[in-house]
Amino acid sequence: MKIKNLRWTIVSMVALATVINYIDRNALAVMWPEISEDLGMNKEDYALILSVFMVSYALGQAVMGKVFDVIGTRLGFVISIVIWSISIGLHAIVRSVSGLAVLRATLGFGEAGNWPGATKANAEWFPVNERALAQGIFNSGAAIGAIVSAPLIAFLYLSFGWQMTFVLIALLGIVWVVPWVFIYKS
């Protein structure tokens, strides 16, 4: 199957992955008051968990960049998104600060692949004179994700509770992978 203007489909999918990235990363913050109450956690625990995420995310940028260079953009995105989707889904069963810290570390590590992967996809699919536009489209996913994440997470949380919300948003990434595998041809 040949897709007309495939490169625009690719950059749109990367932007959508970025939206999902932001939904996943913001879920804990939106639902923290209930989660912290249910699990007996406090502000210091949240600060620790947030720090673990940020350190893992920073380290993951370089590591995932190398992964994308070695295995390619198509498989790199699959690995990155599967890691972060499984991690966010497992947030539903966490019961301790240390368990949540481990899951936030894997979430940050997996999510870090989105940026080097997007840059690599843009370089592979767009000529130099269109790369800034492609990068702008992908990067708009961050703003859109920041805009839609809180209301979407709040809606899911109010409808299904915090555990099921983590499972449902994990499915967003898993569902994204399916068309990516079939559409992205290097």
Side-chain angles (χ1 to χ4, degrees):
M1 168 177 80
K2 184 165 170 80
I3 298 173
K4 187 177 180 181
N5 296 314
L6 181 58
R7 64 198 179 119
W8 297 107
T9 302
I10 296 296
V11 76
S12 297
M13 288 198 68
V14 172
L16 180 58
T18 308
V19 172
I20 295 167
N21 186 296
Y22 269 72
I23 292 168
D24 290 4
R25 88 172 48 182
N26 290 334
L28 182 66
V30 172
M31 298 185 294
W32 179 252
E34 181 70 23
I35 293 168
S36 63
E37 185 176 316
D38 285 358
L39 301 180
M41 296 180 189
N42 58 37
K43 291 177 185 175
E44 290 78 16
D45 297 328
Y46 185 76
L48 171 69
I49 292 163
L50 182 61
S51 295
V52 166
F53 172 86
M54 296 307 291
V55 168
S56 178
Y57 185 80
L59 294 172
Q61 291 280 327
V63 173
M64 291 302 284
K66 182 64 175 174
V67 167
F68 275 77
D69 283 341
V70 171
I71 66 173
T73 307
R74 180 175 183 246
L75 187 55
F77 262 109
V78 170
I79 290 171
S80 179
I81 293 178
V82 166
I83 288 170
W84 95 53
S85 295
I86 289 171
S87 178
I88 199 68
L90 289 173
H91 281 54
I93 61 171
V94 74
R95 289 283 171 261
S96 67
V97 173
S98 59
L100 194 51
V102 167
L103 291 176
R104 293 310 280 187
T106 56
L107 178 72
F109 185 82
E111 284 192 347
N114 194 70
W115 271 257
T119 302
K120 188 166 182 69
N122 287 343
E124 291 171 348
W125 287 90
F126 288 88
V128 172
N129 65 330
E130 291 181 336
R131 285 188 192 153
L133 172 60
Q135 196 69 15
I137 291 169
F138 136 71
N139 214 25
S140 70
I144 294 167
I147 292 165
V148 303
S149 63
L152 175 63
I153 294 162
F155 171 77
L156 292 172
Y157 164 70
L158 292 172
S159 299
F160 303 106
W162 65 266
Q163 290 96 343
M164 185 54 72
T165 298
F166 282 127
V167 171
L168 292 172
I169 62 175
L171 291 175
L172 292 173
I174 300 302
V175 167
W176 181 94
V177 166
V178 175
W180 178 259
V181 168
F182 290 104
I183 292 170
Y184 196 99
K185 305 296 182 202
S186 49

